[in-house]
Amino acid sequence: MDNRLFDNLSGIQHDYLAPFFRLHGNETHEQLINELNAIYDSGMRSVCFEPWCCENYCEQPYFDEMRFLFKECRKRGIRAWLQDDVAPPSGYANYKFKEEAYLDQRPWEIREEHVDVCGPVKGGCVMTDGWLQKKEDCLLAVVASKHIQDSTVLSNETINLTANVHDGLVYFDLGEGVWRISFLVKTRENVLPFCDKLRASSTDVYIKEVYEKHYENLKAYFGNIFMGFFNDEPGFHNNHVKRYTTDTGEVFAQYPWGDCVEKGLSEVYGKHMWEKLVGLWHTVENGSSQALRIHYMDLITKALYENYSAPLAKWCHDHGIFFIGHVLEDNHAHTQTGYGLGHYFRAIGDMDMSGIDTVLHQIFPGCAGYTTRSEGGGGYGNHVFYDYFLAKLGTSYAHIDPRKHGQTMCEGFGAYGHAQGLRMTKALADHAMVRGVNYFVPGSYTPQETEADFPPLFHCHGENPQLPFAKYVMQYMNRVCYLHTGGIHVSSCAIFYNAHAAWGNSDFLPSEEVAKKLYDNRYDYDILPIEYISKIDKQGYLNGEKYPLILVPYMDYLPDDMVQKQR
């Protein structure tokens, strides 16, 4: 018999909340103890330390402070998590990618520049070196694509001119019509100093400079007081000067690039790879660009799992700790590059909990059905996505992946401002919990007087007038999360996670529109990626969940080979 309800009624303490505790490296021991006591007194028995721009991160004073905090946690029976970098988003590796020794481990990107030429042309030429703006820039290919008249679409009639490049010029003969000559440039222009998510060697640097240093200095606490690392909002960070997130099909955008991408595309397209690659930026007739974009995104999202997410998780598991966190999901960033990682399920594949983020006014109680201002996601909130899809995206992965053990973590409440109050705190918690979220990393606690980008602060050195009542909300959340953990979710159906449709930049029905129809009519659902569809057995079961029906939202294109792989 499950005693969970009896345990709750008996007042047994639970542990499903780990609030952020921001560290700066200049706090006194008294300040640190005051914040830990405030967390304990609010009914929470875990904490997630956040070394936000800590001035001595990964240096001896920092590790001395962490040892002190871990000892104090042990005295109080508090478990500790730790954000895994000097500042979010994760991947800076303590800014080591700025240093000479690791400059070559920074990400590569690819961009397209072009000129348009009116044919016919015999013995023509245009400059190539003018497109190489940085010393590291490398011209990968030059391709001529014929325009379709009175259209923004390019034809499939292409010529690879790469072999005709000599001494800073490309030479060509072109037939009738107007031709677009595309220059495909491998570049690090405007690249941020982050870990290259497409190269295992770059992730090795991240592990060496952050993870290994923590193990060397805090080994005694691994797996007992120290539970694991929190990977926060890693992204590709391409094209960051121009856009918050980047869809495929954006002219002049820079996209993630690496040897693994070139190899993977050549296996699909053979000697015609470079001609096809123009479709990453330009629309090409007969679905050619759609297919290319989907294959490209499929490659980079699988590569980021293999070279970034999986190695970090493996390191944690090999050292007796857990690996949790979330990516940037805002307004479909989970299917895009830029601050996104292109595929929600692949990005957090080996994490020990599923994870989402609801901060910066993403969800506003009482405003369902309205598009509202949000500091995240480009300045506005897609209410259908936030109200009907985001939390379910996280809980769906917890249901179908045995590695998640049924747990979904939500980073919540942060940056709503002090106007949030406890009533809104409870409303936001209810929004997540009723959709199956059962672990929270609330924002937040800090030893500093204030944090401009951080409120609400639950303690504020004891000055928050709602502090005496905050513990009742936290205790309530702990009880509900305890009840929600360990059961089997009962779903009416599954919705196909149509990231591929978004990648193809095509005509499609967003999955959250289907989710809204179901939710408003009291039908529950999970969201399943293409890899998991084939894992459903003949009786409709997957990891204990049963899906009597799979709904596939409308999309006008999906490559045949991807469909065949799932059969």
mmCIF file with all atom_site columns, all heavy atoms in Angstrom, residues 208-223:
data_model
loop_
_atom_site.group_PDB
_atom_site.id
_atom_site.type_symbol
_atom_site.label_atom_id
_atom_site.label_alt_id
_atom_site.label_comp_id
_atom_site.label_asym_id
_atom_site.label_entity_id
_atom_site.label_seq_id
_atom_site.pdbx_PDB_ins_code
_atom_site.Cartn_x
_atom_site.Cartn_y
_atom_site.Cartn_z
_atom_site.occupancy
_atom_site.B_iso_or_equiv
_atom_site.pdbx_formal_charge
_atom_site.auth_seq_id
_atom_site.auth_comp_id
_atom_site.auth_asym_id
_atom_site.auth_atom_id
_atom_site.pdbx_PDB_model_num
ATOM 1   N N   . LYS A 1 208 ? 37.493 19.346 -18.166 1.00 0.00 ? 208 LYS A N   1
ATOM 2   C CA  . LYS A 1 208 ? 38.784 19.526 -17.497 1.00 0.00 ? 208 LYS A CA  1
ATOM 3   C C   . LYS A 1 208 ? 38.806 20.780 -16.627 1.00 0.00 ? 208 LYS A C   1
ATOM 4   O O   . LYS A 1 208 ? 39.297 20.763 -15.484 1.00 0.00 ? 208 LYS A O   1
ATOM 5   C CB  . LYS A 1 208 ? 39.891 19.597 -18.547 1.00 0.00 ? 208 LYS A CB  1
ATOM 6   C CG  . LYS A 1 208 ? 41.268 19.947 -17.997 1.00 0.00 ? 208 LYS A CG  1
ATOM 7   C CD  . LYS A 1 208 ? 42.280 20.140 -19.128 1.00 0.00 ? 208 LYS A CD  1
ATOM 8   C CE  . LYS A 1 208 ? 43.620 20.625 -18.603 1.00 0.00 ? 208 LYS A CE  1
ATOM 9   N NZ  . LYS A 1 208 ? 44.571 20.889 -19.711 1.00 0.00 ? 208 LYS A NZ  1
ATOM 10  N N   . GLU A 1 209 ? 38.273 21.884 -17.138 1.00 0.00 ? 209 GLU A N   1
ATOM 11  C CA  . GLU A 1 209 ? 38.399 23.177 -16.464 1.00 0.00 ? 209 GLU A CA  1
ATOM 12  C C   . GLU A 1 209 ? 37.334 23.421 -15.399 1.00 0.00 ? 209 GLU A C   1
ATOM 13  O O   . GLU A 1 209 ? 37.511 24.289 -14.543 1.00 0.00 ? 209 GLU A O   1
ATOM 14  C CB  . GLU A 1 209 ? 38.368 24.310 -17.496 1.00 0.00 ? 209 GLU A CB  1
ATOM 15  C CG  . GLU A 1 209 ? 39.542 24.315 -18.439 1.00 0.00 ? 209 GLU A CG  1
ATOM 16  C CD  . GLU A 1 209 ? 40.866 24.572 -17.733 1.00 0.00 ? 209 GLU A CD  1
ATOM 17  O OE1 . GLU A 1 209 ? 40.853 25.110 -16.606 1.00 0.00 ? 209 GLU A OE1 1
ATOM 18  O OE2 . GLU A 1 209 ? 41.925 24.228 -18.303 1.00 0.00 ? 209 GLU A OE2 1
ATOM 19  N N   . VAL A 1 210 ? 36.234 22.672 -15.441 1.00 0.00 ? 210 VAL A N   1
ATOM 20  C CA  . VAL A 1 210 ? 35.169 22.876 -14.454 1.00 0.00 ? 210 VAL A CA  1
ATOM 21  C C   . VAL A 1 210 ? 34.895 21.598 -13.661 1.00 0.00 ? 210 VAL A C   1
ATOM 22  O O   . VAL A 1 210 ? 35.073 21.553 -12.440 1.00 0.00 ? 210 VAL A O   1
ATOM 23  C CB  . VAL A 1 210 ? 33.877 23.381 -15.123 1.00 0.00 ? 210 VAL A CB  1
ATOM 24  C CG1 . VAL A 1 210 ? 32.740 23.481 -14.105 1.00 0.00 ? 210 VAL A CG1 1
ATOM 25  C CG2 . VAL A 1 210 ? 34.110 24.746 -15.777 1.00 0.00 ? 210 VAL A CG2 1
ATOM 26  N N   . TYR A 1 211 ? 34.486 20.552 -14.322 1.00 0.00 ? 211 TYR A N   1
ATOM 27  C CA  . TYR A 1 211 ? 34.064 19.333 -13.640 1.00 0.00 ? 211 TYR A CA  1
ATOM 28  C C   . TYR A 1 211 ? 35.221 18.677 -12.886 1.00 0.00 ? 211 TYR A C   1
ATOM 29  O O   . TYR A 1 211 ? 35.096 18.323 -11.705 1.00 0.00 ? 211 TYR A O   1
ATOM 30  C CB  . TYR A 1 211 ? 33.453 18.358 -14.656 1.00 0.00 ? 211 TYR A CB  1
ATOM 31  C CG  . TYR A 1 211 ? 32.067 18.747 -15.141 1.00 0.00 ? 211 TYR A CG  1
ATOM 32  C CD1 . TYR A 1 211 ? 31.800 20.016 -15.643 1.00 0.00 ? 211 TYR A CD1 1
ATOM 33  C CD2 . TYR A 1 211 ? 31.019 17.839 -15.100 1.00 0.00 ? 211 TYR A CD2 1
ATOM 34  C CE1 . TYR A 1 211 ? 30.541 20.370 -16.088 1.00 0.00 ? 211 TYR A CE1 1
ATOM 35  C CE2 . TYR A 1 211 ? 29.740 18.171 -15.552 1.00 0.00 ? 211 TYR A CE2 1
ATOM 36  C CZ  . TYR A 1 211 ? 29.521 19.446 -16.044 1.00 0.00 ? 211 TYR A CZ  1
ATOM 37  O OH  . TYR A 1 211 ? 28.260 19.791 -16.477 1.00 0.00 ? 211 TYR A OH  1
ATOM 38  N N   . GLU A 1 212 ? 36.343 18.490 -13.586 1.00 0.00 ? 212 GLU A N   1
ATOM 39  C CA  . GLU A 1 212 ? 37.482 17.825 -12.949 1.00 0.00 ? 212 GLU A CA  1
ATOM 40  C C   . GLU A 1 212 ? 38.027 18.634 -11.775 1.00 0.00 ? 212 GLU A C   1
ATOM 41  O O   . GLU A 1 212 ? 38.421 18.065 -10.747 1.00 0.00 ? 212 GLU A O   1
ATOM 42  C CB  . GLU A 1 212 ? 38.594 17.583 -13.968 1.00 0.00 ? 212 GLU A CB  1
ATOM 43  C CG  . GLU A 1 212 ? 38.270 16.535 -15.015 1.00 0.00 ? 212 GLU A CG  1
ATOM 44  C CD  . GLU A 1 212 ? 38.339 15.110 -14.459 1.00 0.00 ? 212 GLU A CD  1
ATOM 45  O OE1 . GLU A 1 212 ? 38.689 14.949 -13.270 1.00 0.00 ? 212 GLU A OE1 1
ATOM 46  O OE2 . GLU A 1 212 ? 38.040 14.170 -15.227 1.00 0.00 ? 212 GLU A OE2 1
ATOM 47  N N   . LYS A 1 213 ? 38.051 19.942 -11.908 1.00 0.00 ? 213 LYS A N   1
ATOM 48  C CA  . LYS A 1 213 ? 38.566 20.769 -10.823 1.00 0.00 ? 213 LYS A CA  1
ATOM 49  C C   . LYS A 1 213 ? 37.680 20.681 -9.585  1.00 0.00 ? 213 LYS A C   1
ATOM 50  O O   . LYS A 1 213 ? 38.178 20.712 -8.442  1.00 0.00 ? 213 LYS A O   1
ATOM 51  C CB  . LYS A 1 213 ? 38.715 22.214 -11.289 1.00 0.00 ? 213 LYS A CB  1
ATOM 52  C CG  . LYS A 1 213 ? 39.899 22.401 -12.235 1.00 0.00 ? 213 LYS A CG  1
ATOM 53  C CD  . LYS A 1 213 ? 40.142 23.851 -12.582 1.00 0.00 ? 213 LYS A CD  1
ATOM 54  C CE  . LYS A 1 213 ? 41.380 23.990 -13.464 1.00 0.00 ? 213 LYS A CE  1
ATOM 55  N NZ  . LYS A 1 213 ? 41.655 25.392 -13.840 1.00 0.00 ? 213 LYS A NZ  1
ATOM 56  N N   . HIS A 1 214 ? 36.379 20.556 -9.794  1.00 0.00 ? 214 HIS A N   1
ATOM 57  C CA  . HIS A 1 214 ? 35.491 20.374 -8.645  1.00 0.00 ? 214 HIS A CA  1
ATOM 58  C C   . HIS A 1 214 ? 35.722 19.007 -7.993  1.00 0.00 ? 214 HIS A C   1
ATOM 59  O O   . HIS A 1 214 ? 35.699 18.886 -6.760  1.00 0.00 ? 214 HIS A O   1
ATOM 60  C CB  . HIS A 1 214 ? 34.022 20.515 -9.077  1.00 0.00 ? 214 HIS A CB  1
ATOM 61  C CG  . HIS A 1 214 ? 33.582 21.942 -9.200  1.00 0.00 ? 214 HIS A CG  1
ATOM 62  N ND1 . HIS A 1 214 ? 33.819 22.710 -10.308 1.00 0.00 ? 214 HIS A ND1 1
ATOM 63  C CD2 . HIS A 1 214 ? 32.912 22.746 -8.331  1.00 0.00 ? 214 HIS A CD2 1
ATOM 64  C CE1 . HIS A 1 214 ? 33.323 23.919 -10.127 1.00 0.00 ? 214 HIS A CE1 1
ATOM 65  N NE2 . HIS A 1 214 ? 32.759 23.967 -8.932  1.00 0.00 ? 214 HIS A NE2 1
ATOM 66  N N   . TYR A 1 215 ? 35.966 17.997 -8.829  1.00 0.00 ? 215 TYR A N   1
ATOM 67  C CA  . TYR A 1 215 ? 36.210 16.676 -8.259  1.00 0.00 ? 215 TYR A CA  1
ATOM 68  C C   . TYR A 1 215 ? 37.524 16.642 -7.480  1.00 0.00 ? 215 TYR A C   1
ATOM 69  O O   . TYR A 1 215 ? 37.614 16.058 -6.386  1.00 0.00 ? 215 TYR A O   1
ATOM 70  C CB  . TYR A 1 215 ? 36.235 15.634 -9.376  1.00 0.00 ? 215 TYR A CB  1
ATOM 71  C CG  . TYR A 1 215 ? 36.330 14.212 -8.865  1.00 0.00 ? 215 TYR A CG  1
ATOM 72  C CD1 . TYR A 1 215 ? 35.258 13.627 -8.186  1.00 0.00 ? 215 TYR A CD1 1
ATOM 73  C CD2 . TYR A 1 215 ? 37.482 13.460 -9.053  1.00 0.00 ? 215 TYR A CD2 1
ATOM 74  C CE1 . TYR A 1 215 ? 35.336 12.322 -7.715  1.00 0.00 ? 215 TYR A CE1 1
ATOM 75  C CE2 . TYR A 1 215 ? 37.574 12.155 -8.587  1.00 0.00 ? 215 TYR A CE2 1
ATOM 76  C CZ  . TYR A 1 215 ? 36.492 11.600 -7.916  1.00 0.00 ? 215 TYR A CZ  1
ATOM 77  O OH  . TYR A 1 215 ? 36.577 10.314 -7.441  1.00 0.00 ? 215 TYR A OH  1
ATOM 78  N N   . GLU A 1 216 ? 38.553 17.288 -8.002  1.00 0.00 ? 216 GLU A N   1
ATOM 79  C CA  . GLU A 1 216 ? 39.853 17.321 -7.325  1.00 0.00 ? 216 GLU A CA  1
ATOM 80  C C   . GLU A 1 216 ? 39.761 17.977 -5.948  1.00 0.00 ? 216 GLU A C   1
ATOM 81  O O   . GLU A 1 216 ? 40.439 17.562 -5.000  1.00 0.00 ? 216 GLU A O   1
ATOM 82  C CB  . GLU A 1 216 ? 40.864 18.094 -8.182  1.00 0.00 ? 216 GLU A CB  1
ATOM 83  C CG  . GLU A 1 216 ? 41.281 17.375 -9.459  1.00 0.00 ? 216 GLU A CG  1
ATOM 84  C CD  . GLU A 1 216 ? 42.034 18.290 -10.403 1.00 0.00 ? 216 GLU A CD  1
ATOM 85  O OE1 . GLU A 1 216 ? 42.384 19.421 -9.981  1.00 0.00 ? 216 GLU A OE1 1
ATOM 86  O OE2 . GLU A 1 216 ? 42.281 17.896 -11.559 1.00 0.00 ? 216 GLU A OE2 1
ATOM 87  N N   . ASN A 1 217 ? 38.912 18.992 -5.830  1.00 0.00 ? 217 ASN A N   1
ATOM 88  C CA  . ASN A 1 217 ? 38.849 19.773 -4.595  1.00 0.00 ? 217 ASN A CA  1
ATOM 89  C C   . ASN A 1 217 ? 37.713 19.363 -3.656  1.00 0.00 ? 217 ASN A C   1
ATOM 90  O O   . ASN A 1 217 ? 37.787 19.646 -2.456  1.00 0.00 ? 217 ASN A O   1
ATOM 91  C CB  . ASN A 1 217 ? 38.694 21.255 -4.935  1.00 0.00 ? 217 ASN A CB  1
ATOM 92  C CG  . ASN A 1 217 ? 39.971 21.863 -5.482  1.00 0.00 ? 217 ASN A CG  1
ATOM 93  O OD1 . ASN A 1 217 ? 40.817 22.314 -4.726  1.00 0.00 ? 217 ASN A OD1 1
ATOM 94  N ND2 . ASN A 1 217 ? 40.110 21.871 -6.808  1.00 0.00 ? 217 ASN A ND2 1
ATOM 95  N N   . LEU A 1 218 ? 36.674 18.717 -4.200  1.00 0.00 ? 218 LEU A N   1
ATOM 96  C CA  . LEU A 1 218 ? 35.489 18.434 -3.379  1.00 0.00 ? 218 LEU A CA  1
ATOM 97  C C   . LEU A 1 218 ? 35.094 16.962 -3.432  1.00 0.00 ? 218 LEU A C   1
ATOM 98  O O   . LEU A 1 218 ? 33.940 16.601 -3.172  1.00 0.00 ? 218 LEU A O   1
ATOM 99  C CB  . LEU A 1 218 ? 34.311 19.304 -3.851  1.00 0.00 ? 218 LEU A CB  1
ATOM 100 C CG  . LEU A 1 218 ? 34.560 20.820 -3.842  1.00 0.00 ? 218 LEU A CG  1
ATOM 101 C CD1 . LEU A 1 218 ? 33.433 21.543 -4.580  1.00 0.00 ? 218 LEU A CD1 1
ATOM 102 C CD2 . LEU A 1 218 ? 34.685 21.343 -2.419  1.00 0.00 ? 218 LEU A CD2 1
ATOM 103 N N   . LYS A 1 219 ? 36.047 16.107 -3.738  1.00 0.00 ? 219 LYS A N   1
ATOM 104 C CA  . LYS A 1 219 ? 35.776 14.677 -3.942  1.00 0.00 ? 219 LYS A CA  1
ATOM 105 C C   . LYS A 1 219 ? 35.044 14.049 -2.765  1.00 0.00 ? 219 LYS A C   1
ATOM 106 O O   . LYS A 1 219 ? 34.144 13.216 -2.950  1.00 0.00 ? 219 LYS A O   1
ATOM 107 C CB  . LYS A 1 219 ? 37.092 13.950 -4.182  1.00 0.00 ? 219 LYS A CB  1
ATOM 108 C CG  . LYS A 1 219 ? 36.971 12.461 -4.397  1.00 0.00 ? 219 LYS A CG  1
ATOM 109 C CD  . LYS A 1 219 ? 38.336 11.839 -4.673  1.00 0.00 ? 219 LYS A CD  1
ATOM 110 C CE  . LYS A 1 219 ? 38.235 10.340 -4.870  1.00 0.00 ? 219 LYS A CE  1
ATOM 111 N NZ  . LYS A 1 219 ? 39.575 9.729  -5.131  1.00 0.00 ? 219 LYS A NZ  1
ATOM 112 N N   . ALA A 1 220 ? 35.387 14.447 -1.556  1.00 0.00 ? 220 ALA A N   1
ATOM 113 C CA  . ALA A 1 220 ? 34.793 13.834 -0.366  1.00 0.00 ? 220 ALA A CA  1
ATOM 114 C C   . ALA A 1 220 ? 33.285 14.043 -0.280  1.00 0.00 ? 220 ALA A C   1
ATOM 115 O O   . ALA A 1 220 ? 32.585 13.302 0.426   1.00 0.00 ? 220 ALA A O   1
ATOM 116 C CB  . ALA A 1 220 ? 35.460 14.390 0.890   1.00 0.00 ? 220 ALA A CB  1
ATOM 117 N N   . TYR A 1 221 ? 32.758 15.033 -0.992  1.00 0.00 ? 221 TYR A N   1
ATOM 118 C CA  . TYR A 1 221 ? 31.334 15.353 -0.889  1.00 0.00 ? 221 TYR A CA  1
ATOM 119 C C   . TYR A 1 221 ? 30.519 14.791 -2.054  1.00 0.00 ? 221 TYR A C   1
ATOM 120 O O   . TYR A 1 221 ? 29.290 14.864 -2.045  1.00 0.00 ? 221 TYR A O   1
ATOM 121 C CB  . TYR A 1 221 ? 31.152 16.875 -0.828  1.00 0.00 ? 221 TYR A CB  1
ATOM 122 C CG  . TYR A 1 221 ? 31.872 17.496 0.337   1.00 0.00 ? 221 TYR A CG  1
ATOM 123 C CD1 . TYR A 1 221 ? 33.126 18.075 0.182   1.00 0.00 ? 221 TYR A CD1 1
ATOM 124 C CD2 . TYR A 1 221 ? 31.311 17.488 1.613   1.00 0.00 ? 221 TYR A CD2 1
ATOM 125 C CE1 . TYR A 1 221 ? 33.804 18.637 1.256   1.00 0.00 ? 221 TYR A CE1 1
ATOM 126 C CE2 . TYR A 1 221 ? 31.974 18.049 2.699   1.00 0.00 ? 221 TYR A CE2 1
ATOM 127 C CZ  . TYR A 1 221 ? 33.223 18.621 2.508   1.00 0.00 ? 221 TYR A CZ  1
ATOM 128 O OH  . TYR A 1 221 ? 33.887 19.177 3.580   1.00 0.00 ? 221 TYR A OH  1
ATOM 129 N N   . PHE A 1 222 ? 31.208 14.254 -3.056  1.00 0.00 ? 222 PHE A N   1
ATOM 130 C CA  . PHE A 1 222 ? 30.502 13.740 -4.237  1.00 0.00 ? 222 PHE A CA  1
ATOM 131 C C   . PHE A 1 222 ? 29.605 12.567 -3.853  1.00 0.00 ? 222 PHE A C   1
ATOM 132 O O   . PHE A 1 222 ? 30.053 11.592 -3.252  1.00 0.00 ? 222 PHE A O   1
ATOM 133 C CB  . PHE A 1 222 ? 31.512 13.291 -5.299  1.00 0.00 ? 222 PHE A CB  1
ATOM 134 C CG  . PHE A 1 222 ? 31.889 14.380 -6.275  1.00 0.00 ? 222 PHE A CG  1
ATOM 135 C CD1 . PHE A 1 222 ? 32.397 15.594 -5.827  1.00 0.00 ? 222 PHE A CD1 1
ATOM 136 C CD2 . PHE A 1 222 ? 31.722 14.205 -7.636  1.00 0.00 ? 222 PHE A CD2 1
ATOM 137 C CE1 . PHE A 1 222 ? 32.750 16.592 -6.719  1.00 0.00 ? 222 PHE A CE1 1
ATOM 138 C CE2 . PHE A 1 222 ? 32.066 15.196 -8.534  1.00 0.00 ? 222 PHE A CE2 1
ATOM 139 C CZ  . PHE A 1 222 ? 32.577 16.395 -8.073  1.00 0.00 ? 222 PHE A CZ  1
ATOM 140 N N   . GLY A 1 223 ? 28.343 12.656 -4.242  1.00 0.00 ? 223 GLY A N   1
ATOM 141 C CA  . GLY A 1 223 ? 27.410 11.556 -4.046  1.00 0.00 ? 223 GLY A CA  1
ATOM 142 C C   . GLY A 1 223 ? 26.805 11.483 -2.667  1.00 0.00 ? 223 GLY A C   1
ATOM 143 O O   . GLY A 1 223 ? 25.949 10.626 -2.415  1.00 0.00 ? 223 GLY A O   1
#
